[in-house]
Amino acid sequence: AQKVTQAQTEISVVEKEDVTLDCVYETRDTTYYLFWYKQPPSGELVFLIRRNSFDEQNEISGRYSWNFQKSTSSFNFTITASQVVDSAVYFCALRANAGKSTFGDGTTLTVKP
Amino acid sequence: NAGVMQNPRHLVRRRGQEARLRCSPMKGHSHVYWYRQLPEEGLKFMVYLQKENIIDESGMPKERFSAEFPKEGPSILRIQQVVRGDSAAYFCASSPPGHLGEKLFFGSGTQLSVL
């Protein structure tokens, strides 16, 4: 069985603050992929990043960075110098041999000006 | 290249009616997934289909719900005899055939409201 837990339901920060969104996952598969998606107020989910289970190298893309740690089954997402446009619901997802992607319950991020 | 197209965007039904939600995947994508998002909740997997085959329907309620992805035409999620609890946003996603790491492309969703 697969499970993704996003313990933070809502986070509110002031613009320019850094914020980290937590994601913890469970799977018995040794081969799997982890994803982050963003759901802006318009509703359509947008892919942000994916990581496979054999690649623990962290990644930085502009103000976004991801920290994958197999030892703690975590795949956390950090936004540096947050902006109002970052306000959205962020979903962490796991895809293993079952084929389907299992999503966490999402974290609603509000960035205030 | 058009994205994943879902229609209608909004659907209003009275209790007991049928709801049909359509999803046209991206060109070249043969895998379709349906998810349901209840207010203030996350995305819950419903069903995974490939052309003319249901691969995984473990998230589908046993009654009233069905899904298909025919050889020609869009994927259809059908809800018979809708009840108020079916009110939710239903998202379709597609991916190309290939490896496990293929990301999902999502449609804009269909907001179903049951009166």
Side-chain angles (χ1 to χ4, degrees):
Chain A
Q2 301 175 174
K3 187 177 180 182
V4 176
T5 301
Q6 294 180 252
Q8 305 147 308
T9 306
E10 296 182 9
I11 299 177
S12 181
V13 299
V14 177
E15 210 170 16
K16 297 185 183 176
E17 285 185 18
D18 299 346
V19 58
T20 295
L21 310 181
D22 297 334
C23 173
V24 174
Y25 63 93
E26 295 176 29
T27 180
R28 294 179 182 168
D29 293 293
T30 54
T31 301
Y32 53 88
Y33 280 78
L34 295 162
F35 303 80
W36 276 95
Y37 290 86
K38 175 181 180 180
Q39 184 181 36
S42 59
E44 185 173 328
L45 279 86
V46 177
F47 165 81
L48 293 178
I49 192 171
R50 79 182 135 214
R51 261 289 173 269
N52 74 54
S53 49
F54 300 106
D55 180 5
E56 287 193 69
Q57 187 173 11
N58 292 325
E59 183 164 336
I60 298 175
S61 175
R63 296 185 297 108
Y64 296 171
S65 62
W66 291 269
N67 183 350
F68 175 30
Q69 293 194 346
K70 277 179 87 168
S71 60
T72 55
S73 297
S74 65
F75 185 44
N76 297 337
F77 171 31
T78 297
I79 302 175
T80 304
S82 59
Q83 299 177 2
V84 173
V85 293
D86 295 328
S87 296
V89 183
Y90 290 86
F91 290 97
C92 179
L94 166 70
R95 189 179 189 192
N97 288 326
K100 67 185 182 188
S101 293
T102 299
F103 285 76
D105 286 342
T107 297
T108 300
L109 173 65
T110 302
V111 181
K112 299 177 181 177
Chain B
N1 190 11
V4 178
M5 305 300 291
Q6 285 189 252
N7 66 81
R9 190 71 194 270
H10 300 276
L11 182 61
V12 180
R13 285 289 178 265
R14 296 190 181 280
R15 280 180 297 172
Q17 291 184 321
E18 178 180 285
R20 280 184 175 242
L21 287 63
R22 293 175 185 77
C23 170
S24 295
M26 283 185 73
K27 189 175 180 180
H29 288 194
S30 56
H31 297 207
V32 166
Y33 310 79
W34 285 93
Y35 288 83
R36 177 164 63 176
Q37 186 175 28
L38 291 164
E40 311 300 324
E41 292 190 16
L43 287 164
K44 302 303 179 188
F45 168 78
M46 298 183 75
V47 63
Y48 165 29
L49 309 109
Q50 293 178 20
K51 285 281 187 182
E52 299 185 281
N53 282 310
I54 297 175
I55 306 303
D56 182 348
E57 55 181 349
S58 58
M60 287 276 272
K62 293 287 184 280
E63 297 177 352
R64 302 189 298 108
F65 284 73
S66 62
E68 62 176 6
F69 188 18
K71 187 176 180 180
E72 302 290 338
S75 174
I76 305 288
L77 178 67
R78 183 183 177 205
I79 311 172
Q80 295 177 290
Q81 300 175 326
V82 296
V83 300
R84 289 227 172 100
D86 297 332
S87 295
Y90 291 82
F91 287 94
C92 169
S94 72
S95 69
H99 66 86
L100 208 57
E102 292 293 346
K103 63 186 180 185
L104 298 181
F105 292 81
F106 280 85
S108 299
T110 293
Q111 182 65 51
L112 173 64
S113 298
V114 180
L115 304 179

